[in-house]
Amino acid sequence: MTRFFAAILFIFLSITLVKAQDGQNSSQGDLLQSLMEEGPRGQVTLELDSQLLANYNKMIARNMGSTGVPGYRIRIYSGSGVGAKEEQQRVRARFLSLYRGLDAYNRYDEPFFKVYIGDCRTRSEALKLNDRIKKDFPNPIIVSDYINLKSTE
């Protein structure tokens, strides 16, 4: 069974590399579907277990719905009750005035108003940012989140 999954993985990686060398964009659409379509080199016939295909389709749907990439953010405020929304806005404004160039995000997870900061790709990057802000915002918490990619302009 392990050899079967390794063979499937090898086929997917091989196709991806071939497409990349041909100058085609493999991130467009569904790779499995493009494998099964007839192309200039013929058609590929794949026999897949129904569970494998179902899980593959779930993964594609989940990835299409996500708006960012996996990473880390730091929660600097979480509160509920009377005045929590105003406090959330004050904390965010204070952070943005102290740390120019870093982003802060308001979020409401019922019943809590929260402020998250940073778009860290790795946990070590989040730890560095955590150490940097600790003096101004006590008790920050590093959390896994989908982050925005920084533009490379």
Side-chain angles (χ1 to χ4, degrees):
M1 192 59 130
T2 305
R3 287 184 182 174
F4 173 73
F5 287 120
I8 294 294
L9 181 63
F10 178 74
I11 289 170
F12 283 141
L13 290 175
S14 299
I15 298 293
T16 303
L17 290 174
V18 167
K19 284 187 138 196
Q21 290 176 355
D22 286 345
Q24 297 173 353
N25 188 355
S26 61
S27 65
Q28 297 288 329
D30 183 0
L31 179 61
L32 186 60
Q33 186 65 33
S34 64
L35 275 173
M36 292 182 182
E37 291 174 357
E38 183 145 0
R41 297 187 183 131
Q43 185 175 3
V44 176
T45 303
L46 295 175
E47 293 184 22
L48 299 173
D49 182 58
S50 62
Q51 279 297 97
L52 182 64
L53 189 58
N55 287 335
Y56 176 79
N57 289 329
K58 285 179 188 176
M59 181 192 72
I60 293 293
R62 185 176 57 240
N63 287 343
M64 296 296 255
S66 70
T67 59
V69 297
Y72 298 92
R73 287 198 172 132
I74 300 173
R75 187 173 67 215
I76 59 173
Y77 173 76
S78 178
S80 66
V82 178
K85 185 174 185 175
E86 291 79 17
E87 182 64 20
Q88 174 194 44
Q89 292 170 347
R90 279 193 292 274
V91 169
R92 183 176 186 268
R94 181 170 163 242
F95 175 81
L96 292 174
S97 68
L98 290 173
Y99 297 93
R100 299 196 187 278
L102 290 176
D103 291 327
Y105 306 95
N106 288 342
R107 189 175 299 158
Y108 179 67
D109 296 327
E110 193 174 336
F112 296 100
F113 291 92
K114 300 177 181 182
V115 178
Y116 292 92
I117 62 158
D119 287 312
C120 303
R121 291 291 307 239
T122 62
R123 187 159 180 87
S124 64
E125 189 179 339
L127 286 168
K128 288 177 189 175
L129 180 58
N130 189 42
D131 289 342
R132 188 172 147 200
I133 66 158
K134 252 186 186 174
K135 66 184 181 301
D136 296 314
F137 298 94
N139 305 320
I141 299 171
I142 297 173
V143 295
S144 297
D145 201 358
Y146 281 93
I147 63 169
N148 302 321
L149 288 177
K150 298 175 182 108
S151 63
T152 56
E153 296 176 14

